[in-house]
Amino acid sequence: MASNSNYLLVAAIDFGTTYSGYAFSMRHSFEKQPMTIHANQAWNAGGKQLLSLKTPTCLLLDSNKQFDSFGYDAEDKYAEIVMDKDQDNYYYFHRFKMCLHKNKKVSLEMLLEDITGKSMPAIDVFALSIMALKNHLMGSLVTQGTGVESSDIRWVLTVPAIWTDNAKQFMRESAEKAGIPKDKLLLALEPEAASIYCQYLPTDKLTGIEPGFTMSEPGTKYMIVDLGGGTADITVHEKLSDGCLRELCRATGGDCGGTGVDAEYIQVLIKIVGAPLIELMKRENPESYLDFIREFETAKRNRPSDNKKVNMIIPFTTLNTLCRTHLKEDFKTAIASSPFSNSIVIRGDKIRIDVKVFKKMFEKTVENILQLIRDIIIFKWKSHARSIKFSLLEAVRREFSNCRVVIPFDPGLSVLKGAVLFGHKSDVISSRISRFTYGISFNPKFDPAVHDKKHRRLSDGVWRCKDAFDKILEKDSVIPIGTTTRRKYTTQTNVSRIWFRKEL
């Protein structure tokens, strides 16, 4: 944890599954106007204009595994490299953050495969990506003439609350390898950062509120639903009289982020032209495939009208050529003979999708998110369920009609800007709920009143219980921030002592 209070600026890096970005604010600005937070607004998306102040989480390395480019630059350059058939001399990684969520054995020795199957240490991929964002931020500070040096910065890196301790530690190690000193580094849990942001946001920047409402009133209990590219992260907070927030139930979530909607979109296309042809476009025409995905990214952020079709520009020439070559029919004919013959049409270089088909792409992901919320309200938080008044999630309006849904202004930057605020005031979270039970395996003297006889073992003339579990912290326990637990253990082979210390 960052212990050095000597800083002039807080810089936060929101490292996402699909998009990443950074934001910062000066210490003196926070003291006078906390919401004066700057985010980069100059990411170059090539020929496409996306409604995002972030850049894709994509990393391109050369044949020596040295940094080449990151973000939109990496996407566009790799598309050219593939067209020149030079991809064997490069490493291209994208959407790799989820490996830390899905892999139960996260370690510093873990390997990652790039898009062509070439592997390298995962920590290098993460460290080089964090370094790219860090260097871009430093360049921006120089351009703006802030006079701030790297040593003047307190850094904050966002991580999902539902990640394991190993995954969170892996991100910390990656940040340190990227050149961020450990005494200047804080990890911010993504839903907590969003919660902090909403505490500072003026009420006129919140939609769904009623006159007189404020998020900062002591005693207010609310659920934060952070919807990212890879995961949904959910936690429940209560505002305390001293201005701090306390967690009311342990963070939960799952892999039901925006990439699930992307996958459904690809499945629609697969039902029209087949998976082999989509893979062929991805390999041989990556620039067209990127345009295809970027256009959907823009479309899925706009709320469609119930009586209109969703229009998107597609790489029609590429798709039509691929269909004629490999399917022996043009793209329009492929659509006409597919399950979507009555719901998808082509007009020039645009695809027009019936709004019902478009909305159906969201159903699975939305249902998974709603189920996570039900689990908290019905099963995991029974004693507080009736106290929930505000949920930051548009999708729950119909499902939970007795809850008020509040959406912050510019929700895509809520976590990022909240992480900056957390960097200035890291003691704002007063307590958390333990997601796991922690303990140590040990071999105490066998006690027939306590231990099962089948675990009895003779060791150095003493009957012991093999692999007993000394519980240090129980799941769902309330943990005040800064809590330290100490236990003393003695080895069986000598008199040396082992001290266990867990900072919570």
Short mmCIF file of all heavy atoms in Angstrom, two decimals, residues 210-252:
data_model
loop_
_atom_site.label_atom_id
_atom_site.label_comp_id
_atom_site.label_asym_id
_atom_site.label_seq_id
_atom_site.Cartn_x
_atom_site.Cartn_y
_atom_site.Cartn_z
N GLU A 210 -34.78 11.75 -7.18
CA GLU A 210 -35.95 12.57 -6.89
C GLU A 210 -35.49 13.79 -6.11
O GLU A 210 -34.37 13.80 -5.55
CB GLU A 210 -36.97 11.77 -6.06
CG GLU A 210 -36.41 11.18 -4.80
CD GLU A 210 -37.34 10.17 -4.16
OE1 GLU A 210 -38.27 9.71 -4.84
OE2 GLU A 210 -37.13 9.86 -2.98
N PRO A 211 -36.26 14.88 -6.06
CA PRO A 211 -35.85 16.09 -5.36
C PRO A 211 -35.43 15.81 -3.92
O PRO A 211 -36.10 15.07 -3.20
CB PRO A 211 -37.11 16.97 -5.42
CG PRO A 211 -37.83 16.50 -6.64
CD PRO A 211 -37.58 15.02 -6.71
N GLY A 212 -34.33 16.40 -3.53
CA GLY A 212 -33.86 16.23 -2.16
C GLY A 212 -32.94 15.04 -1.94
O GLY A 212 -32.36 14.88 -0.87
N PHE A 213 -32.80 14.19 -2.98
CA PHE A 213 -31.98 12.99 -2.82
C PHE A 213 -30.50 13.34 -2.80
O PHE A 213 -30.05 14.21 -3.54
CB PHE A 213 -32.25 12.02 -3.96
CG PHE A 213 -31.20 10.93 -4.09
CD1 PHE A 213 -31.18 9.87 -3.20
CD2 PHE A 213 -30.23 11.00 -5.07
CE1 PHE A 213 -30.22 8.88 -3.30
CE2 PHE A 213 -29.26 10.01 -5.18
CZ PHE A 213 -29.26 8.96 -4.29
N THR A 214 -29.75 12.67 -1.96
CA THR A 214 -28.29 12.79 -1.97
C THR A 214 -27.68 11.45 -1.62
O THR A 214 -28.16 10.74 -0.75
CB THR A 214 -27.80 13.87 -0.98
OG1 THR A 214 -26.37 13.80 -0.91
CG2 THR A 214 -28.37 13.66 0.42
N MET A 215 -26.60 11.12 -2.33
CA MET A 215 -25.91 9.85 -2.07
C MET A 215 -25.11 9.92 -0.78
O MET A 215 -24.69 8.91 -0.25
CB MET A 215 -24.97 9.53 -3.22
CG MET A 215 -25.65 9.11 -4.51
SD MET A 215 -26.27 7.44 -4.46
CE MET A 215 -24.74 6.50 -4.49
N SER A 216 -24.84 11.14 -0.30
CA SER A 216 -23.92 11.31 0.82
C SER A 216 -24.60 11.42 2.18
O SER A 216 -23.96 11.73 3.17
CB SER A 216 -23.05 12.56 0.59
OG SER A 216 -23.88 13.70 0.42
N GLU A 217 -25.91 11.18 2.25
CA GLU A 217 -26.61 11.25 3.54
C GLU A 217 -26.25 10.05 4.41
O GLU A 217 -26.35 8.90 3.96
CB GLU A 217 -28.11 11.28 3.31
CG GLU A 217 -28.91 11.42 4.60
CD GLU A 217 -30.41 11.45 4.34
OE1 GLU A 217 -30.79 11.60 3.17
OE2 GLU A 217 -31.17 11.32 5.31
N PRO A 218 -25.80 10.26 5.65
CA PRO A 218 -25.45 9.14 6.54
C PRO A 218 -26.61 8.17 6.69
O PRO A 218 -27.76 8.58 6.81
CB PRO A 218 -25.11 9.83 7.86
CG PRO A 218 -24.67 11.21 7.47
CD PRO A 218 -25.52 11.56 6.28
N GLY A 219 -26.31 6.88 6.66
CA GLY A 219 -27.33 5.86 6.78
C GLY A 219 -27.83 5.34 5.46
O GLY A 219 -28.53 4.31 5.42
N THR A 220 -27.50 6.02 4.35
CA THR A 220 -27.94 5.57 3.03
C THR A 220 -27.26 4.25 2.67
O THR A 220 -26.05 4.12 2.80
CB THR A 220 -27.61 6.62 1.94
OG1 THR A 220 -28.26 7.84 2.26
CG2 THR A 220 -28.07 6.14 0.57
N LYS A 221 -28.06 3.27 2.28
CA LYS A 221 -27.53 1.98 1.84
C LYS A 221 -27.84 1.82 0.35
O LYS A 221 -28.94 2.12 -0.09
CB LYS A 221 -28.16 0.83 2.62
CG LYS A 221 -27.93 0.86 4.12
CD LYS A 221 -28.58 -0.35 4.77
CE LYS A 221 -28.35 -0.38 6.29
NZ LYS A 221 -29.14 0.63 7.00
N TYR A 222 -26.87 1.35 -0.40
CA TYR A 222 -27.09 1.21 -1.84
C TYR A 222 -26.18 0.13 -2.42
O TYR A 222 -25.15 -0.22 -1.85
CB TYR A 222 -26.85 2.55 -2.55
CG TYR A 222 -25.48 3.15 -2.29
CD1 TYR A 222 -24.42 2.89 -3.15
CD2 TYR A 222 -25.26 3.98 -1.20
CE1 TYR A 222 -23.16 3.44 -2.92
CE2 TYR A 222 -24.02 4.52 -0.95
CZ TYR A 222 -22.97 4.26 -1.82
OH TYR A 222 -21.72 4.78 -1.59
N MET A 223 -26.61 -0.39 -3.54
CA MET A 223 -25.86 -1.41 -4.25
C MET A 223 -25.15 -0.78 -5.45
O MET A 223 -25.74 0.01 -6.19
CB MET A 223 -26.80 -2.51 -4.74
CG MET A 223 -26.11 -3.64 -5.51
SD MET A 223 -27.30 -4.82 -6.19
CE MET A 223 -28.02 -5.48 -4.68
N ILE A 224 -23.90 -1.11 -5.62
CA ILE A 224 -23.12 -0.65 -6.77
C ILE A 224 -22.96 -1.83 -7.72
O ILE A 224 -22.47 -2.90 -7.33
CB ILE A 224 -21.72 -0.16 -6.34
CG1 ILE A 224 -21.84 1.09 -5.48
CG2 ILE A 224 -20.85 0.12 -7.55
CD1 ILE A 224 -22.25 2.33 -6.23
N VAL A 225 -23.36 -1.65 -8.97
CA VAL A 225 -23.19 -2.67 -9.99
C VAL A 225 -22.26 -2.12 -11.05
O VAL A 225 -22.63 -1.22 -11.81
CB VAL A 225 -24.54 -3.08 -10.62
CG1 VAL A 225 -24.34 -4.21 -11.62
CG2 VAL A 225 -25.51 -3.51 -9.53
N ASP A 226 -21.03 -2.61 -11.08
CA ASP A 226 -20.02 -2.15 -12.02
C ASP A 226 -19.95 -3.12 -13.18
O ASP A 226 -19.52 -4.27 -13.02
CB ASP A 226 -18.66 -2.04 -11.31
CG ASP A 226 -17.53 -1.75 -12.28
OD1 ASP A 226 -17.77 -1.00 -13.25
OD2 ASP A 226 -16.41 -2.26 -12.08
N LEU A 227 -20.37 -2.67 -14.35
CA LEU A 227 -20.40 -3.53 -15.53
C LEU A 227 -19.20 -3.22 -16.41
O LEU A 227 -19.14 -2.15 -17.03
CB LEU A 227 -21.70 -3.30 -16.32
CG LEU A 227 -22.99 -3.50 -15.51
CD1 LEU A 227 -24.20 -3.26 -16.39
CD2 LEU A 227 -23.03 -4.88 -14.90
N GLY A 228 -18.26 -4.15 -16.45
CA GLY A 228 -17.06 -3.96 -17.26
C GLY A 228 -17.11 -4.77 -18.54
O GLY A 228 -18.13 -5.36 -18.90
N GLY A 229 -15.99 -4.80 -19.23
CA GLY A 229 -15.92 -5.57 -20.46
C GLY A 229 -15.94 -7.07 -20.22
O GLY A 229 -16.61 -7.81 -20.93
N GLY A 230 -15.24 -7.51 -19.17
CA GLY A 230 -15.16 -8.94 -18.90
C GLY A 230 -16.05 -9.41 -17.76
O GLY A 230 -16.62 -10.50 -17.82
N THR A 231 -16.17 -8.59 -16.71
CA THR A 231 -16.88 -9.03 -15.51
C THR A 231 -17.91 -8.00 -15.05
O THR A 231 -17.84 -6.82 -15.41
CB THR A 231 -15.90 -9.26 -14.34
OG1 THR A 231 -15.19 -8.04 -14.05
CG2 THR A 231 -14.90 -10.36 -14.66
N ALA A 232 -18.85 -8.48 -14.27
CA ALA A 232 -19.76 -7.62 -13.50
C ALA A 232 -19.32 -7.74 -12.05
O ALA A 232 -19.13 -8.84 -11.54
CB ALA A 232 -21.20 -8.07 -13.67
N ASP A 233 -19.15 -6.61 -11.39
CA ASP A 233 -18.64 -6.54 -10.03
C ASP A 233 -19.68 -5.83 -9.17
O ASP A 233 -20.06 -4.70 -9.48
CB ASP A 233 -17.34 -5.73 -10.04
CG ASP A 233 -16.21 -6.41 -9.30
OD1 ASP A 233 -16.44 -7.50 -8.76
OD2 ASP A 233 -15.10 -5.86 -9.26
N ILE A 234 -20.15 -6.48 -8.11
CA ILE A 234 -21.24 -5.93 -7.33
C ILE A 234 -20.87 -5.88 -5.85
O ILE A 234 -20.33 -6.84 -5.30
CB ILE A 234 -22.53 -6.76 -7.49
CG1 ILE A 234 -22.89 -6.88 -8.98
CG2 ILE A 234 -23.68 -6.15 -6.70
CD1 ILE A 234 -24.05 -7.82 -9.24
N THR A 235 -21.16 -4.75 -5.21
CA THR A 235 -20.96 -4.64 -3.78
C THR A 235 -22.06 -3.75 -3.21
O THR A 235 -22.76 -3.06 -3.94
CB THR A 235 -19.57 -4.07 -3.44
OG1 THR A 235 -19.32 -4.21 -2.05
CG2 THR A 235 -19.45 -2.60 -3.83
N VAL A 236 -22.22 -3.76 -1.89
CA VAL A 236 -23.25 -2.97 -1.20
C VAL A 236 -22.59 -2.14 -0.11
O VAL A 236 -21.82 -2.66 0.69
CB VAL A 236 -24.33 -3.89 -0.58
CG1 VAL A 236 -25.43 -3.07 0.06
CG2 VAL A 236 -24.92 -4.81 -1.64
N HIS A 237 -22.88 -0.84 -0.09
CA HIS A 237 -22.26 0.08 0.85
C HIS A 237 -23.29 0.81 1.71
O HIS A 237 -24.44 0.97 1.31
CB HIS A 237 -21.44 1.13 0.09
CG HIS A 237 -20.10 0.63 -0.36
ND1 HIS A 237 -19.34 1.27 -1.30
CD2 HIS A 237 -19.39 -0.46 0.00
CE1 HIS A 237 -18.22 0.60 -1.50
NE2 HIS A 237 -18.23 -0.45 -0.73
N GLU A 238 -22.82 1.26 2.86
CA GLU A 238 -23.59 2.15 3.71
C GLU A 238 -22.75 3.38 4.00
O GLU A 238 -21.57 3.28 4.32
CB GLU A 238 -23.98 1.47 5.02
CG GLU A 238 -24.77 2.39 5.95
CD GLU A 238 -25.11 1.75 7.29
OE1 GLU A 238 -24.61 0.63 7.56
OE2 GLU A 238 -25.89 2.36 8.05
N LYS A 239 -23.36 4.56 3.88
CA LYS A 239 -22.66 5.82 4.21
C LYS A 239 -22.71 6.03 5.71
O LYS A 239 -23.78 5.98 6.33
CB LYS A 239 -23.31 6.99 3.48
CG LYS A 239 -22.59 8.33 3.70
CD LYS A 239 -21.19 8.28 3.09
CE LYS A 239 -20.46 9.60 3.29
NZ LYS A 239 -20.97 10.65 2.39
N LEU A 240 -21.55 6.24 6.34
CA LEU A 240 -21.47 6.44 7.79
C LEU A 240 -21.44 7.92 8.14
O LEU A 240 -21.18 8.77 7.28
CB LEU A 240 -20.21 5.74 8.32
CG LEU A 240 -20.10 4.24 8.03
CD1 LEU A 240 -18.80 3.68 8.59
CD2 LEU A 240 -21.30 3.48 8.59
N SER A 241 -21.68 8.21 9.40
CA SER A 241 -21.76 9.60 9.84
C SER A 241 -20.43 10.33 9.74
O SER A 241 -20.38 11.55 9.64
CB SER A 241 -22.28 9.66 11.28
OG SER A 241 -21.43 8.91 12.14
N ASP A 242 -19.31 9.58 9.74
CA ASP A 242 -17.99 10.22 9.64
C ASP A 242 -17.55 10.42 8.20
O ASP A 242 -16.41 10.81 7.94
CB ASP A 242 -16.94 9.41 10.40
CG ASP A 242 -16.77 7.99 9.85
OD1 ASP A 242 -17.46 7.64 8.86
OD2 ASP A 242 -15.95 7.24 10.40
N GLY A 243 -18.46 10.12 7.24
CA GLY A 243 -18.13 10.32 5.83
C GLY A 243 -17.56 9.09 5.15
O GLY A 243 -17.39 9.09 3.93
N CYS A 244 -17.25 8.05 5.93
CA CYS A 244 -16.68 6.84 5.35
C CYS A 244 -17.78 5.91 4.82
O CYS A 244 -18.97 6.13 5.07
CB CYS A 244 -15.83 6.10 6.39
SG CYS A 244 -14.33 6.99 6.88
N LEU A 245 -17.36 4.88 4.11
CA LEU A 245 -18.27 3.87 3.59
C LEU A 245 -17.90 2.52 4.20
O LEU A 245 -16.72 2.22 4.36
CB LEU A 245 -18.16 3.77 2.07
CG LEU A 245 -18.45 5.04 1.26
CD1 LEU A 245 -18.09 4.82 -0.19
CD2 LEU A 245 -19.90 5.44 1.40
N ARG A 246 -18.91 1.73 4.52
CA ARG A 246 -18.63 0.38 4.97
C ARG A 246 -19.35 -0.62 4.08
O ARG A 246 -20.47 -0.38 3.62
CB ARG A 246 -18.99 0.16 6.44
CG ARG A 246 -20.46 0.08 6.75
CD ARG A 246 -20.66 -0.22 8.24
NE ARG A 246 -22.07 -0.24 8.61
CZ ARG A 246 -22.67 -1.30 9.13
NH1 ARG A 246 -21.99 -2.43 9.30
NH2 ARG A 246 -23.95 -1.25 9.46
N GLU A 247 -18.69 -1.74 3.84
CA GLU A 247 -19.25 -2.79 3.00
C GLU A 247 -20.24 -3.60 3.83
O GLU A 247 -19.94 -3.99 4.97
CB GLU A 247 -18.12 -3.68 2.47
CG GLU A 247 -18.50 -4.56 1.32
CD GLU A 247 -17.30 -5.30 0.76
OE1 GLU A 247 -16.54 -5.91 1.55
OE2 GLU A 247 -17.12 -5.28 -0.47
N LEU A 248 -21.41 -3.86 3.27
CA LEU A 248 -22.45 -4.59 4.01
C LEU A 248 -22.51 -6.07 3.65
O LEU A 248 -23.06 -6.86 4.40
CB LEU A 248 -23.81 -3.94 3.77
CG LEU A 248 -23.98 -2.54 4.35
CD1 LEU A 248 -25.35 -1.98 4.00
CD2 LEU A 248 -23.78 -2.54 5.86
N CYS A 249 -22.05 -6.43 2.48
CA CYS A 249 -21.93 -7.85 2.13
C CYS A 249 -20.74 -8.00 1.20
O CYS A 249 -20.35 -7.06 0.52
CB CYS A 249 -23.21 -8.39 1.49
SG CYS A 249 -23.58 -7.72 -0.13
N ARG A 250 -20.15 -9.18 1.22
CA ARG A 250 -18.93 -9.37 0.44
C ARG A 250 -19.19 -9.17 -1.04
O ARG A 250 -20.26 -9.46 -1.55
CB ARG A 250 -18.34 -10.76 0.69
CG ARG A 250 -19.27 -11.90 0.41
CD ARG A 250 -18.64 -13.22 0.89
NE ARG A 250 -19.61 -14.29 0.92
CZ ARG A 250 -19.91 -15.06 -0.13
NH1 ARG A 250 -19.30 -14.86 -1.28
NH2 ARG A 250 -20.80 -16.02 -0.02
N ALA A 251 -18.17 -8.65 -1.72
CA ALA A 251 -18.27 -8.40 -3.15
C ALA A 251 -18.53 -9.69 -3.90
O ALA A 251 -18.01 -10.76 -3.56
CB ALA A 251 -16.98 -7.75 -3.65
N THR A 252 -19.34 -9.60 -4.91
CA THR A 252 -19.64 -10.76 -5.73
C THR A 252 -19.68 -10.33 -7.19
O THR A 252 -19.59 -9.14 -7.51
CB THR A 252 -20.98 -11.41 -5.31
OG1 THR A 252 -21.14 -12.64 -6.00
CG2 THR A 252 -22.15 -10.51 -5.65
#
